[in-house]
Amino acid sequence: MTASVAAESTDLPRWDLSRFGFSSPFSDEIDSHLEETAKLAEAFKAKYEGKLGELSLLSAIQDYEEISKRKTLVSSYLHLSYDVSLDDDTLKKRKGALSQRQSEIYGLEWFSLDVAELDDAILASQYENDPSLTKFKSFIDELRRQKPHNLSKDVERALTVRSPYVGNRPLVSFFDKELSLMRFKLDEDGKEVNMEVLLSRMQSSNDAAFRAKCLQVLNDGLAGSVSRTAALSLSSVAGGWLIENKERKYINLRSRRNLDNNCPDEVVDSLLVGVRSAGIPLCKRFYTLKKGILQKTQGLDKFRWSDRNAPIDIGGVSNEKISWEAAVAMVKKGYNQFSPKMSEMFVSMVEEKRIDVPATNGKKGGAYCAGVIPGVGPFQLLNFDGTKQDVATLAHESGHGVHDILAYEQGYLQYHPPLTLAETASIFGEMIVFRDLLAQSSSKEEELTLLMSKIDDVVNSVVRQCSFDRFEELVHTAREKGELSADELDEYWMSALREYYGKEGDAGGDSPFDTYENTSHLWSYVPHFHHVPFYVYSYAFADLVVGTLYNNFLTNKEGFEGRLLALLSAGGTKDFANALGPFGLDPTSSTFWTEALTAHLGELVNEAEKIAKELGYVE
């Protein structure tokens, strides 16, 4: 299958959103649903506000959960519908209007504040009078942890009602659409491609000159109005984060995110320090190895940023595009090697049309899995172009789907895992497929190719994501002094890049990369900076935890699948320490992260270096 066929085929599956119960985003059924939900919310408020200590807290939480599910059903349906039609202005207007309407009529923020303010003795009495309330203990504990950071009811209400009209959300939404509309000319025939196809072609090409051209076209395309729009959006997000951190009395930039993850600041700080001390040297070792291989196999004159994810062209592995059917078979087989239950769940997601597959114009870039609500979700959005990375992405997002399905038993309010564990199943899914493919290698060349590709993924998940976190740290710190320009953000981006990858070789630095030409605007297309500040470290957290879990599996297979499925089924009812305890892992240890890096990334690099030497690619 050629790239164009993979990207443009009308035969690739689209998701079926009929499970939401709405015939279209413009259906009157949605309006009726909202009206009924508004009535339920008003009755709920009249019955329970200020009276949680007198009435059944269990009944209140159950009613709150039902109203919340009804809200999420509508918002998720509109979100998914719009993400495959970003060029539909009529749909955008409809989505925005309904979002504003929901924020105005529901007013449920009082409930979390009232639960947080409950006297300890009253809460203890509620538990004693109705033991079934313990089912929601994790939800209650999460709300009460937020108590020191809550604002008054009037302020919280005003923030909720205003958010669809002012603040970050409209800007971020506009920026998302601008990115989706971007088109790039690569060929002399003038044919344009979207960003997802451009990135796919750059990363799958064996031609260094073509890769360099792709990066130049991307960076040039992001310059000017796009980066200025991105700067406005990111400056607004950072400003809002700064003000709320002060008003809510969070200790540092990441504390708000860490509290949401129920993860102490010290653990996250230890992770970041570990990646700097042990991850960066391993990263440089890997790229030095990759540079040497590419110089011998592709005649590379300079190791550029465009070569970072380049495929290793040493024979033994076909670079032909992979069909969707073959990708599904690969993921199914990989999952089945470890867990037939996970494999069955994956197949069900495919057969039930829960995955929107093709990379089409007007579609949101990247990939994600939306859990929605139990009984309706999950749904995956992909931009499948037939590359090996796309297969890894399918395995990754399907891991999220499996995690959601297993955790649905905890109910809507508690099925979402903390971000520190949210990537566990997804990265484990990638690992399963990788190890299965590696075991089937027919030659050393194929084994090295697969290893190098996997290390690409790990370095991107660990070192690259922590460099993203560093970029955010620089941006949010500087935001206190005023609005940030695109030029300033370019500078912070390059600063973070050099901190984690070294000063470029052409400038006398120690980086394996000879030049960082055409990289200055690449921050502009990273959506996490705008949608979820300081989220990115969770990728590094999860990748290293999963690497450690996999090594644990190799040495202690008996009962491992059951322990992992139990972890996933817990959803948000366990924090990372309790979830990982049954595996004998303690991420609170000061040495955990450096040991995890050495055992996971370090061993992969060792394997690759050994084979490369055997094949004569390096000395």
Side-chain angles (χ1 to χ4, degrees):
M1 177 182 286
T2 65
S4 59
V5 172
E8 299 169 8
S9 173
T10 57
D11 296 329
L12 290 175
R14 310 303 301 265
W15 54 29
D16 176 8
L17 301 184
S18 62
R19 288 177 181 79
F20 283 85
F22 305 121
S23 56
S24 88
F26 301 96
S27 170
D28 292 339
E29 302 160 316
I30 294 179
D31 299 274
S32 299
H33 181 97
L34 291 180
E35 289 301 325
E36 179 62 26
T37 306
K39 292 177 182 178
L40 291 173
E42 290 170 5
F44 176 73
K45 182 176 182 179
K47 181 177 181 179
Y48 289 110
E49 186 174 19
K51 307 169 189 174
L52 291 181
E54 308 165 17
L55 303 174
S56 167
L57 181 58
L58 175 62
S59 296
I61 291 176
Q62 290 171 333
D63 290 349
Y64 175 79
E65 182 174 48
E66 191 58 35
I67 295 170
S68 298
K69 285 166 59 179
R70 291 179 63 91
K71 288 180 60 179
T72 299
L73 187 73
V74 171
S75 59
S76 295
Y77 178 68
L78 294 170
H79 174 73
L80 297 179
S81 298
Y82 181 62
D83 279 355
V84 294
S85 302
L86 294 180
D87 51 359
D88 187 336
D89 287 335
T90 305
L91 178 55
K92 178 186 177 182
K93 185 175 182 179
R94 168 72 165 166
K95 176 175 175 286
L98 292 176
S99 176
Q100 293 167 9
R101 190 173 169 194
Q102 287 201 76
S103 69
E104 292 169 358
I105 64 179
Y106 292 141
L108 294 177
E109 62 282 335
W110 65 267
F111 182 68
S112 61
L113 300 176
D114 278 9
V115 173
E117 291 293 335
L118 274 176
D119 184 86
D120 289 344
I122 292 176
L123 181 59
S125 176
Q126 290 271 2
Y127 278 123
E128 184 178 349
N129 294 336
D130 197 340
S132 297
L133 181 62
T134 56
K135 173 186 176 183
F136 292 101
K137 186 176 186 305
S138 296
F139 170 69
I140 294 169
D141 289 348
E142 180 181 354
L143 294 183
R144 292 174 73 78
R145 282 195 301 272
Q146 299 288 345
K147 180 179 178 179
H149 310 290
N150 288 335
L151 305 176
S152 69
K153 284 186 181 180
D154 288 342
V155 174
E156 296 284 6
R157 173 64 176 158
L159 290 173
T160 300
V161 173
R162 287 164 57 87
S163 63
Y165 299 91
V166 298
N168 304 331
R169 193 188 301 179
L171 271 175
V172 173
S173 178
F174 177 78
F175 172 62
D176 283 343
K177 180 177 179 181
E178 290 302 295
L179 279 185
S180 75
L181 295 175
M182 290 193 72
R183 300 292 180 265
F184 304 88
K185 291 183 179 181
L186 278 177
D187 305 318
E188 293 182 359
D189 60 8
K191 185 176 181 180
E192 296 182 331
V193 297
N194 62 34
M195 187 183 299
E196 293 301 319
V197 173
L198 172 65
L199 291 170
S200 174
R201 292 185 182 178
M202 179 173 68
Q203 295 174 8
S204 61
S205 175
N206 290 320
D207 184 339
F210 179 74
R211 293 194 298 266
K213 179 182 178 182
C214 287
L215 183 63
Q216 180 182 359
V217 168
L218 174 62
N219 197 59
D220 288 349
L222 292 171
S225 61
V226 175
S227 63
R228 288 195 298 272
T229 302
L232 179 62
S233 174
L234 184 50
S235 188
S236 175
V237 168
W241 191 262
L242 171 69
I243 293 301
E244 287 211 34
N245 275 359
K246 288 183 176 180
E247 292 294 321
R248 297 182 184 278
K249 298 179 173 61
Y250 287 105
I251 297 173
N252 62 47
L253 287 172
R254 299 181 189 84
S255 294
R256 182 176 169 191
R257 182 67 63 209
N258 297 345
L259 184 64
D260 288 342
N261 292 335
N262 196 14
C263 186
D265 289 344
E266 303 78 48
V267 173
V268 176
D269 291 343
S270 179
L271 163 67
L272 297 172
V273 169
V275 171
R276 277 184 173 271
S277 63
I280 290 177
L282 287 170
C283 171
K284 291 179 179 177
R285 267 180 61 193
F286 168 64
Y287 285 125
T288 298
L289 173 63
K290 187 166 193 176
K291 178 179 181 179
I293 294 174
L294 290 176
Q295 284 174 332
K296 286 200 173 184
T297 59
Q298 297 183 11
L300 217 63
D301 60 335
K302 287 182 181 293
F303 190 48
R304 304 173 184 273
W305 194 252
S306 53
D307 302 315
R308 183 173 57 88
N309 290 323
I312 300 300
D313 183 21
I314 57 175
V317 177
S318 172
N319 287 317
E320 288 295 315
K321 292 293 183 178
I322 300 167
S323 71
W324 168 247
E325 293 75 16
V328 169
M330 292 166 71
V331 175
K332 176 184 176 182
K333 182 178 180 182
Y335 271 54
N336 197 58
Q337 293 289 322
F338 168 74
S339 172
K341 184 173 183 177
M342 291 174 68
S343 183
E344 289 173 6
M345 290 178 175
F346 165 68
V347 172
S348 294
M349 284 187 280
V350 175
E351 293 179 346
E352 293 174 5
K353 297 182 178 180
R354 295 182 176 277
I355 309 176
D356 200 85
V357 180
T360 59
N361 290 336
K363 184 175 181 178
K364 185 179 180 68
Y368 65 73
C369 181
V372 193
I373 63 173
V376 175
F379 289 90
Q380 295 181 46
L381 179 143
L382 304 178
N383 277 275
F384 185 82
D385 194 40
T387 68
K388 293 183 179 67
Q389 183 59 47
D390 289 332
V391 178
T393 299
L394 174 62
H396 180 103
E397 299 304 336
S398 296
H400 281 305
V402 167
H403 200 162
D404 288 335
I405 294 168
L406 288 168
Y408 282 156
E409 66 185 61
Q410 304 298 339
Y412 172 73
L413 296 178
Q414 297 183 140
Y415 88 84
H416 296 284
L419 289 181
T420 47
L421 296 174
E423 298 294 335
T424 304
S426 55
I427 296 176
F428 214 103
E430 288 187 64
M431 179 67 78
I432 292 166
V433 172
F434 163 69
R435 285 296 176 184
D436 185 53
L437 291 172
L438 194 65
Q440 300 174 47
S441 298
S442 58
S443 66
K444 288 291 184 180
E445 287 81 3
E446 182 178 4
E447 190 175 351
L448 179 58
T449 299
L450 291 170
L451 275 168
M452 295 295 286
S453 178
K454 181 59 181 175
I455 300 171
D456 273 330
D457 294 340
V458 176
V459 169
N460 285 336
S461 290
V462 178
V463 179
R464 182 159 167 76
Q465 295 300 328
C466 287
S467 76
F468 284 0
D469 177 272
R470 175 58 176 156
F471 169 72
E472 286 189 281
E473 182 178 30
L474 293 170
V475 169
H476 283 251
T477 300
R479 183 61 179 87
E480 192 163 8
K481 298 178 181 178
E483 188 171 327
L484 301 171
S485 69
D487 289 341
E488 289 175 299
L489 292 171
D490 287 350
E491 291 176 7
Y492 295 136
W493 177 256
M494 297 307 298
S495 176
L497 192 70
R498 292 186 174 101
E499 283 185 41
Y500 277 79
Y501 294 90
K503 185 178 179 181
E504 53 267 59
D506 282 356
D510 64 344
S511 174
F513 292 96
D514 296 303
T515 175
Y516 293 135
E517 184 182 14
N518 295 318
T519 60
S520 59
H521 308 310
L522 298 186
W523 59 270
S524 302
Y525 76 90
V526 182
H528 293 88
F529 300 152
H530 305 261
H531 291 277
V532 276
F534 295 102
Y535 171 91
V536 289
Y537 75 73
S538 65
Y539 288 106
F541 194 113
D543 207 310
L544 293 176
V545 166
V546 169
T548 307
L549 281 175
Y550 192 82
N551 290 333
N552 184 287
F553 163 67
L554 294 177
T555 57
N556 187 20
K557 291 187 178 182
E558 185 175 354
F560 183 88
E561 179 185 7
R563 290 193 294 274
L564 181 62
L565 294 179
L567 182 158
L568 301 179
S569 298
T573 63
K574 290 184 178 180
D575 62 24
F576 73 95
N578 289 324
L580 296 175
F583 301 91
L585 304 179
D586 181 16
T588 63
S589 165
S590 60
T591 61
F592 177 84
W593 300 109
T594 54
E595 291 172 355
L597 279 157
T598 301
H600 180 37
L601 178 56
E603 282 305 307
L604 288 170
V605 173
N606 288 342
E607 287 181 64
E609 286 176 335
K610 179 182 177 182
I611 297 174
K613 288 178 181 178
E614 291 175 4
L615 294 174
Y617 290 113
V618 293
E619 297 180 358

